[in-house]
Structure formats: C-alpha cells, structure tokens
Amino acid sequence: MRVTLLGTGDTTGTPTVGCDCDTCETARERGIERTRFSVHVENERTGESLLVDFSPDFRYQFLRDEVPLPDAAVITHIHFDHLDGLGNVFRVFDSLEVYAADETDPQTGKSVAETVRDDYHYLDPIDVRPTTPLEPVRICGFDVTLVPVEHPPLLCYGLAIEDPETGAKLSLSGDTSYGVPERSREALADPDLLLADAIVPARFCEHHPVGGRHEGPDGVPRTFGTKHMTREGALALADDLEAERTRLVHLAHYYPVDEAFAEPLAVDGETYVL
C-alpha cells in the first residue's frame, strides 16, 4: 500500500490566497504547500489506486505528484473542499466508481451518495456506489470501511483501509471533533498510519465563538469549536487508537510559523509505503 498525501490543508489551504501572514509567506519562500484535502492510495499488488476525496485542487495535485489516476474514489462528506474536484472526471475518465455513505442526513434529507449522484448527474463516467457505514467493502483490492465521525451539522465519515493480504492498515479520521463514536474508534484502531484532522493548536479555541470542547485531563481542549480536532486532540486520538505512525492533516494557516512546519504536521507530497 503506497499512500500519497495530495492535499493536507483546510478549506483555504496554505498559502492562503491574499494572505501575507508569516506562515503563508514562509510557505511561499520554502515552496511548501497544503492544498485542499485528498489522499491517493495505491495497491501495488493489483496495480489499482483509490482516491479519498476529490479536492478542488485535483488537476494540480495529480500533475504535481505524478500519481496514477484512480480506479475508484471514496467521498467522506459533501463540503466543497472534499467534493468539488469531482467535476474533473469530465473528459479525463472513461468510468469511475465513487463510493459514499448510504445513510440519510437529517440536515439535507439525502445521503452523501444521493448528493453526489444528484449534483453530478451530468457526468456519465461516474458510477455512484451507496455504501453502508461500518460494513467493509472491497475496493481496489482493499477492505474499506466508512466510519461515522462528528462534524456537525452534516454527516461525515472517516475511513479504515486495509490490505487483506499484507495486513497493512491506513486510518483517516475524516473531518471530525474528538468525539468519535466508540464503534468507529474500534474500526480505526491499530493503524500503521493515521491521518488525523488537526486544524489548529488548542490554545486557539479562545478565538472560536463557542470555544473548545472535550478537554483532556490537563484541561486542554481536544476539539476546536464543534467540528474539528485541535492538534492536541488529534494526538490524543492517535494515542487512543494506538497508531504506529501519525501525520496531522487538514491544517489551517493559522498555525504560528514556528509551529506550522514542525513534526508531525504533514505537507503535500509526502508518501508512505505500508
């Protein structure tokens, strides 16, 4: 299993357009990028590859990192920074299976799968495959499990991706607070690599209108507002899941420059072989 981090940024990415903060300026000077979220997972046994989320930066990411076009994709939720790159299949793919959760979101009255089908009905190559959360499905030779997480007000999912032959396991928290349900934690547990949402350092909760949540024993918030983990929350989740290795993703440019590029914060283009 070869994992390439195509996009490790939040909804605006780093550097952010029009921003001259120290972090964005340093990213420009050093040629470092965190484009909108997307992960490429290649099965070197079968010669197939799976894409997790369609970043709006899809075209640029694939040209930059020179990874193979995916044979299938999974959409974790319908926020634009995870979905709107799907239009790039036009005149690029002959066919593409797109897997997404089949449970109805009370907020929209549709499942993620139905939203993808309806919003991209004009794209003939797309074959939407409604998928039941917490039930593994075989995709590109991997056992892939969508796991419910907490990203209000919309339903959102993390992923466990396992190679049934080698035992390699990749877990993605998805966009979530620290309040990941227990059954989802069980599905995500013991990964060789965990990609965990860590939008900002915990001390930034003082700037959020609703503050922070899920304080640890030290009183440090593990959730920023209601829908993303803090850095400290993501690291606590990694400990909870007993991850062998952790990379923090979905990172905002609000990280101070002296922390923004420190371990274990990821940047685009990182690759891991599991």
Side-chain angles (χ1 to χ4, degrees):
M1 183 188 300
R2 183 178 182 87
V3 181
T4 302
L5 309 188
L6 297 178
T8 55
D10 69 341
T11 189
T12 65
T14 302
T16 293
V17 173
C19 182
D20 60 359
C21 73
D22 289 345
T23 296
C24 288
E25 288 296 330
T26 298
R28 293 185 184 98
E29 291 167 4
R30 294 172 57 182
I32 293 172
E33 294 181 303
R34 290 183 175 130
T35 56
R36 274 74 66 89
F37 184 80
S38 187
V39 176
H40 185 273
V41 188
E42 188 172 357
N43 189 334
E44 296 171 303
R45 289 188 298 100
T46 67
E48 298 171 290
S49 59
L50 172 66
L51 185 67
V52 179
D53 285 338
F54 262 88
S55 168
D57 301 307
F58 173 93
R59 176 182 178 276
Y60 173 70
Q61 291 170 345
F62 274 78
L63 290 172
R64 180 195 63 196
D65 292 332
E66 298 182 333
V67 292
L69 287 172
D71 298 281
V74 180
I75 302 297
T76 60
H77 66 298
I78 62 170
H79 279 154
F80 94 98
D81 53 325
H82 296 257
L83 175 61
D84 279 15
L86 190 56
N88 285 276
V89 306
F90 182 67
R91 293 198 303 194
V92 173
F93 292 82
D94 293 326
S95 62
L96 181 71
E97 296 176 350
V98 177
Y99 293 79
D102 63 0
E103 60 182 348
T104 300
D105 189 330
Q107 187 73 20
T108 65
K110 297 180 180 180
S111 67
V112 176
E114 289 171 324
T115 298
V116 172
R117 182 199 64 203
D118 293 349
D119 288 1
Y120 293 92
H121 62 89
Y122 57 91
L123 293 176
D124 293 336
I126 292 177
D127 178 11
V128 178
R129 300 292 182 94
T131 304
T132 302
L134 295 172
E135 293 185 8
V137 59
R138 184 65 55 88
I139 311 173
C140 297
F142 297 127
D143 290 334
V144 179
T145 306
L146 283 162
V147 299
V149 292
E150 184 181 68
H151 189 56
L154 298 176
L155 292 184
C156 185
Y157 305 86
L159 288 172
I161 303 174
E162 299 182 68
D163 187 323
E165 294 201 17
T166 68
K169 182 175 181 179
L170 168 67
S171 291
L172 300 90
S173 74
D175 284 16
T176 185
S177 78
Y178 180 74
V180 177
E182 187 58 36
R183 286 190 65 193
S184 296
R185 288 172 180 258
E186 292 171 1
L188 295 170
D190 301 314
D192 297 292
L193 176 64
L194 170 67
L195 305 179
D197 170 15
I199 194 163
V200 292
R203 66 182 183 274
F204 280 48
C205 290
E206 65 185 70
H207 303 298
H208 196 287
V210 300
R213 299 170 58 213
H214 301 122
E215 290 83 0
D218 54 4
V220 174
R222 295 176 173 179
T223 295
F224 177 68
T226 61
K227 61 176 71 175
H228 292 281
M229 286 187 288
T230 62
R231 173 183 56 195
E232 291 78 0
L235 293 175
L237 180 68
D239 287 342
D240 297 343
L241 299 180
E242 299 185 352
E244 182 172 325
R245 185 167 192 173
T246 300
R247 302 303 288 166
L248 304 186
V249 296
H250 210 278
L251 305 165
H253 69 120
Y254 299 118
Y255 274 89
V257 68
D258 60 338
E259 302 174 37
F261 309 108
E263 293 294 318
L265 278 65
V267 297
D268 287 11
E270 294 181 9
T271 60
Y272 298 92
V273 177
L274 311 183

